[in-house]
Amino acid sequence: MKKKIALVTGASGGIGSACARELAARGYTVLAHANRNLAAAQQLADELCAKGMDTHAMCCDLSDSRAVQTMCDEILKLYHHVDALVLCAGVSHTGLMTDMTDEQWHRVMDINVSGSFYLIRALAPGMVSQRSGSIVTISSMWGRSGASCEAAYSASKAAIIGLTKALSKELGPSGVRVNCIAPGVIDTKMMDEHSEETKAILAEETPLGRLGTGEDVARAAAFLLSDEASFITGQTLGVDGGYL
C-alpha cells in the first residue's frame, strides 16, 4: 500500500502547522510549505521526523506562478503523486477599502486566490490521472458574511468558496473531491494584532464561548481528506464555534 502524500501550504502558520501535524500523525508523508518563514516549517519537519513521522519542508512564493510550477514539478519528480492538498497559506489586511493601495490589494489576492489556483492547476492533473485525490481549501467566515475593514480579505476568501464549488463539479467525475473550511476566530499569530480585550469580546460573541484553535481546523481538514468523507464534495464547513 503506497503511502499518501499531502502538501500543506502555510505550514509555518497556526492552522497550517496544525494541519501538518495532524496529517503526519495519521500516516501521511507531509510536505510542509512556507515562504518567508521557512525556518519555522523546517523546525516543524525536524520535530515530526524525530518522532518517526515523514515530513519535509518546502519553500515557494505562492504569488509567483513559475515558482509554484517549479515546486510542484520537483514534488512530482520525487514522489510521483500528491494525494491531498491543504491550502492554508494566506494573508490579511485591515483598514478602510478606500485607503488600500493597489499593491496591498494585489498582495492579498495574489497569495490567497492566485496561489491556490496555481497549485491546483499544477497538481490536479495528477489526481485526475490516478482518479483519486482530495483538496481542502481554507476560506474564512468573513468569506461567507463579509467583514468591515477587511474588504480584500473577505473578497479573497469568498473567491475561494466559489473556486471550491466550481472545481468540485469539474473534478468530481474524475474521483477528485474539493471541499472548503471556513474558520471563525482562530487563536493564531494572525490574531496578534488584536488586544486581549478584543479577543475576549470575540470569544464571548462565539456561541461556544471560546476562540478556535489550529487543531480544531486541522481535525476538520483531516476528516474531509479521509475516506470517511468519500461522498462529500463542494461543501463549505464552518469551523467557527457557531459564530455565524
Side-chain angles (χ1 to χ4, degrees), residues 8-41:
V8 179
T9 68
S12 60
I15 291 176
S17 62
C19 287
R21 290 176 189 278
E22 184 71 24
L23 295 180
R26 293 184 181 223
Y28 286 81
T29 290
V30 175
L31 309 178
H33 158 272
N35 181 25
R36 295 183 178 179
N37 198 2
L38 177 60

Side-chain angles (χ1 to χ4, degrees), residues 67-110:
V68 172
Q69 187 64 54
T70 297
M71 180 184 74
C72 292
D73 288 344
E74 290 174 354
I75 290 171
L76 294 175
K77 184 178 180 180
L78 286 170
Y79 299 98
H80 309 297
H81 67 284
V82 171
D83 302 283
L85 179 58
V86 187
L87 301 171
C88 301
V91 295
S92 63
H93 177 86
T94 302
L96 293 174
M97 186 192 74
T98 50
D99 291 337
M100 284 193 77
T101 65
D102 290 356
E103 182 181 1
Q104 289 169 333
W105 172 269
H106 287 299
R107 179 172 181 266
V108 173
M109 290 297 173
D110 287 349

Side-chain angles (χ1 to χ4, degrees), residues 190-205:
M190 195 176 280
M191 286 292 293
D192 286 350
E193 64 184 69
H194 300 289
S195 67
E196 292 302 317
E197 181 182 3
T198 297
K199 291 182 182 180
I201 292 171
L202 290 168
E204 187 176 348
E205 290 176 348

Side-chain angles (χ1 to χ4, degrees), residues 31-64:
L31 309 178
H33 158 272
N35 181 25
R36 295 183 178 179
N37 198 2
L38 177 60
Q42 187 61 61
Q43 183 178 359
L44 173 65
D46 291 344
E47 174 194 330
L48 294 177
C49 284
K51 296 178 180 179
M53 302 176 194
D54 194 11
T55 309
H56 308 273
M58 312 288 295
C59 184
C60 178
D61 177 1
L62 298 185
S63 68
D64 183 336

